[in-house]
Every structure is written in structure tokens, then in C-alpha cells.
Amino acid sequence: MQSPASSFETDRQVIRSTSPTHPKGSRARILLSSVFGPYAQDDEFGSRAINPMELYHNQVTRAQGSFSLRMFHRSWGIMMIQANISAPCAVLDFPTQADFARQLKTHKYDVVGITGIIVNVVKVREMCRMTRKLSPQSVIVVGGHVAAIPGIEKMIDADHIVKGEGVAWMRRYLGEDENAPIRHPAIVSGMRTRIMGIRMPERKGATAATIIPSVGCPMGCNFCTTSAFFGGKGKFVNFFETGDELFAVMARMEDELKVNSFFVMDENFLLHRERAMRLLELMKAGNKVWALSVFASANAIRKYTMQELVELGVSWLWMGLESPRAGYSKLKGADTRELTRQLREHGIRVQGSTIIGLEHHTPANIVAEIEHAVSHDTDFHQFMLYTPVPGTPLYQQMAEEGRLLSDVDYADVHGQFKFNFKHAAISREDSKRFLDWAFWRDFQLNGPSLYRISRTLLAGWKRYKDSPDARVRARFAREMGKLSGVYGSALWAMERQFRNVDRNVSDRICALRREFRQESGMVSRMLPAVLGPVLLWTTRREEKRLARGQTYEPPTILERSNWVEA
Ligand code: B12
Ligand code: SF4
């Protein structure tokens, strides 16, 4: 077992309210908070320098230096809850401890909801402690994946610990209709995007909207924590059952956020073919030139023709590329290398995801397995250590086999550091070495992801610029028109910067830059001469900053709804 429960035990008895609802019902004043930062540092609350509050830099492009894609994402779970209750509610995202304390002291909250995942358990515990002290009248509710830790009730001082879906729970708790239709909040998918030392301007409509059609995944892979948390194999929670409902949400977001691209946060979006095809029908009827970023397993992708995917606007696809020897049903019969090649040829950026340290991996075969993963030449590649996470079938199995390491802190159980279990052939230290090597190898061989996505965009543009389908043509024209000058300039800078790293990759970047030049309009053709050197300078400046230990933190955000001052 990780982190013995006794070291966490609180001296208060866990209060379990006998009443299933709050006495004030929808008049209760609610604070929903994410765990406190700063995040990208090592501290006693479980922050880790290698575990920043970033997606790409944390687990995808972390070896790409100044070419790493840096951005933050809001805490969508609590935004979702806020949008679906009628009680006065404040969402506090990415607070410092002082921000959180200030909220507790200055507003009389009846309910304090804290969201966290397993790595954040010590912060959750500290926030419960702070709440008891500074706002003793508040009922404390804890939700999110942290709730899956065995014995969590004894580790933190909370009144309710909610496992699984939270909107229905909170509605029930406030005496509201838990089956009322879900109202989707307006979510801008990312913020403070930064690459090559430049922070992107934040224009309305420039960043995709996040859409959350469901939580969980019915495939039930043994290691998968999201699947397990929402019911496991065969189960998931659908917020929007039909293509019609999804279309209505997306159209509303298009209107409110002025977006035409969507990050669809559904673990296996393409698995639900009927819904996706109805969405396509409505997109065609409404002449919507939308772009979709989706997660899907290889077997789900194979239910579609390339034409269907392209018409549906799929422009970015996150797909598991576990070793074929691991026997996951989501990969059954799929030649993932061929699939990746085809997707990219159709202008679909592929983000592969590969697990290091599967049961059959050994020091003798792991290098070949990593080489196989890297040979997919995806646009982005995530690597993660095989990790038994509490709540999953894999964790259960490892516990039964006595293979969980007893001295691993929960803050280090995130798949980007070292094994938390005894592997048959690979040591804990070596797990980190192989993981780091995989990231390095992908970067060294395939170059910066920014170059790779430019290549896929160009392939799509060349293939579809004269498409008979006006919607498809318009989508590629929009991306190319908007980006060709910028990509051309970035390629100019990358080509030079990469000369010192790998001449071969630099030459490939050069060839692509020339192709871009040919396909671009006059202005975009001229831009690299001006913008290229600027980007080269900012890239080199960023490299120096990173070498000095520069890190990035998300901003603190406070949003109130249905609010009246007490
Ligand atoms: C966006 C995201 C992030 C963002 C963080 C956003 C943020 N502000 O916290 C980024 C990219 C930064 C991130 C980072 C990490 N993440 Co992350 N992330 C996600 C992702 C993709 C989506 C989360 C989401 O919004 N889901 C949709 C919402 C609706 O679901 P939800 O958050 O679970 O909320 C529902 C319920 O849980 C519940 N609920 C949630 N909070 C609360 C609170 C209350 C009071 C109540 C009642 C209910 C409740 O109700 C909600 C509605 O049903 C999930 C995968 C996934 N599909 O969920 C992984 C996931 C949450 N991340 C995970 C991990 C491991 C990490 C990292 C450790 C990554 C790493 N090292 O590789 C880091 C940690 C960073 C840190 N320092 O804390 C794991 C968590 C595993 C676990 N069991 O703890 C997940 C599940 C991915 C996975 N499958 O492994 N992540
Ligand atoms: S297909 Fe992906 S999301 Fe679904 S259970 Fe397997 S790993 Fe999890």
C-alpha cells in the first residue's frame, strides 16, 4: 500500500451527515475550489517540479525544451457542477493558500467543495483543515479522483467524499432535480499558451471550446483510472446522449465564445458512432465548418472512413498506442502505424500515447518497444509509466499479488516519475531511465511537435484544398490561411535552432519550409524573413530561461454565479 493511512489520520471523527440534503437547499452558498498552488515546485504538500499544472509540458512535449507547448486548462469538473446548480456558487481555480483562506474568511460559505486527484491528497487534507479552522460552519465536500484512494475517509477531515459523477450528487444534495438536462458551461479549452518563448495573444474565438459529452469509458482497460472512477467496464456517464443534443451545445458555444473549433473531452468519442454520425448530419445541414479534437481508441477509429472523419472535422486525434503484445481490445486487429500514417495524410494531427513498463517489458525488449512507438512518427507522443492507480482493476490485482511498493508517496504516483510497484523485470530506477529515454528519442528522431503538426497541416491542405466538399475545403483553407505565415516563420527558426541538435531533422524542416513557401500567399511568403529571426531570438532566450529553472504557473481565477452578497 502507498502512504500508510495512519500517517494521514485526522483526530476528528469523520462527520457523516445523516441528512442527504443540505438544510438550506438551493439557498446554500457554495465555494468550489481546486487545490492550491504553486504547482511546479517540490514541496511538502505534494507539488512536484516535474508535475506542473500543464498538459503538454507535463506529459507530452516535456523533452522539447523551448519548443514544448505550454498551456493551462481550467478545472472543468467544478465548472460543470457550478453551471448545473441554482445555488449561489463561487469557483476558485488555482488559488494560493492565501487566496483560499481569504475566501473562507470573507464569505460565509455553507458548503466548501474541493476537487483533487490522487497526487493532490495532501493539499486536499490541508484545505479541509483550513476550512474547519477558518469557516467552521461550512460542510466540506471532496470530489474528483482523490476520492478513489482506499481509506481516504481517514486521511482527510471531510463531511462527504464523493466518488464518481458530481453534478447529480450536488443537485441531489441541494434538493434540486438531478435528472434535469445538463447545462454545459462555456469553457475556453486552454489559456496562456506559450511556445518558442512567446505567449500567444488571447483573442476571443482563437482558442477551441472544451465540450464534455461524457465521463468514463466503457472499454475498461485494467490500468485506466477514468474508466474505473465512473463505473468501469461497460459503464460511463453520458451528459449528452444524442448527436442533436451535442450539436445544440456546440452551436451555443460557437455563438457565446465565437469559436469554430472544439476540444471534445470524451475518453472515447468515436466509440459512439451513432451520436457522431448524427452530429455530422447536422453539421452538414447547418453548414458548420467546425474542427474537432477528440480522443479515440484505434478500434473505434476504424469504424469510420477517412472521408467521414474529415467531414466530421476531426483535426486532432489522441490515440493509445500500447504495445501490440499487451493484448488490449481497443487495439484489436489495428495496424496502428499504418493508421497513423493515413490519418496524417488526411491532415489529422495524431497524438500517440504509449505505456512504458507493461508486464511483458524487459530491459532486453523495451528499447525495441519504444522504437516501435516512436516509429509511428506521430505529431505528439505521450509516454506514461504503467501505473497501478487506486480504484483500478490493476491496483486491485497488484495489491493482491503484494507487488505495490510501500514507501511511495501518493504525490509521486502519476506515471511520469518511477514505478510504484514491483515489476517482474525492470527496476524502479530503470523505469525512469526508460521513460525519459522514450521522450528524448521521440524528439531526437522526429523533431519538434510544432514542425510535425505543420507537416500534417500542409499534407491536409494539399489533399483537400480543391475538395468538392465546400465545408472541408473551407476548414483547411481557414487553418492554412491563418497559419501558413506563422508556421513558415516558426519553421525558419526551428531549422536553424535544430542544426546543433540533429542535422537530419534540420534538413527535413528546411524541406517543409520550402513547401510551405510554395503553397503560401504573398504575405505569408514574406513573413518568415521578418518573423523568423524574431522567433529564433525568443527561442534562444527561452532556452536560457529554462536552463535557469524558469517555471510557469496558472493564474488564479474566481467566478461567481447566482451570487448575492450575504
Ligand atoms: C484536464 C486534465 C488535467 C489538467 C488539469 C486541470 C486542472 N485544472 O486540474 C492538466 C493537464 C494540467 C492535468 C494535469 C495532471 N493530471 Co490530469 N487530467 C485532465 C483530464 C484530461 C480531464 C479532467 C476533466 O476535466 N474531466 C472532465 C470532468 C467533468 O470530470 P472530473 O474532473 O472527473 O469531474 C467529475 C467528477 O470527478 C466529480 N468531481 C470532480 N471534482 C469534484 C468536486 C466536488 C466537490 C464534487 C462533489 C465532485 C467532483 O464531478 C465531476 C463531474 O462529474 C483528466 C482525464 C479525464 N478524462 O477526466 C486527467 C486526469 C484527471 N489527470 C490525471 C493525472 C494523473 C494528472 C497528472 C498527475 C499528470 C501526470 N503527471 O502525468 C497532472 C497533475 C497536475 C497537478 N500538479 O495536479 C489523472 C488522474 C488520476 C487519478 N486517479 O488521480 C486523470 C484521470 C487522467 C488519467 N486517466 O490518468 N490534468
Ligand atoms: S480505451 Fe482509453 S479511455 Fe477507454 S478504458 Fe481504455 S485506456 Fe481508458
Side-chain angles (χ1 to χ4, degrees), residues 14 28 36 40 53 56 75 81 136 141 144 178 204 232 261 264 289 313 408 410 458 508 529 546 548 554:
V14 176
F36 58 82
M53 194 51 88
Y56 285 90
S75 302
I81 296 173
V141 184
E178 64 178 282
K204 191 161 187 170
S261 62
V264 186
V289 183
V408 179
Y410 278 121
L458 190 69
R508 276 162 31 211
L546 295 174
R548 283 199 303 268

Side-chain angles (χ1 to χ4, degrees), residues 4-78:
S6 57
S7 67
F8 279 95
E9 242 161 74
T10 55
D11 51 7
R12 275 179 67 104
Q13 272 250 293
V14 176
I15 305 163
R16 291 223 150 264
S17 159
T18 45
S19 154
T21 54
H22 192 280
K24 289 193 184 169
S26 291
R27 284 179 300 108
R29 296 158 68 80
I30 303 186
L31 173 66
L32 297 175
S33 181
S34 54
V35 295
F36 58 82
Y39 309 96
Q41 61 172 30
D42 294 323
D43 69 24
E44 76 272 29
F45 297 113
S47 279
R48 293 289 184 266
I50 61 159
N51 199 19
M53 194 51 88
E54 297 177 60
L55 172 59
Y56 285 90
H57 192 65
N58 183 323
Q59 40 188 309
V60 185
T61 53
R62 66 177 217 190
Q64 300 194 10
S66 56
F67 299 115
S68 179
L69 178 56
R70 317 290 303 254
M71 71 164 75
F72 304 106
H73 304 277
R74 294 284 310 275
S75 302
W76 301 325
I78 49 176

Side-chain angles (χ1 to χ4, degrees), residues 276-298:
M277 292 313 284
R278 175 65 184 150
L279 176 65
L280 172 57
E281 212 176 302
L282 293 166
M283 281 169 65
K284 282 182 178 169
N287 195 27
K288 299 293 187 193
V289 183
W290 289 343
L292 271 59
S293 301
V294 303
F295 295 74
S297 54

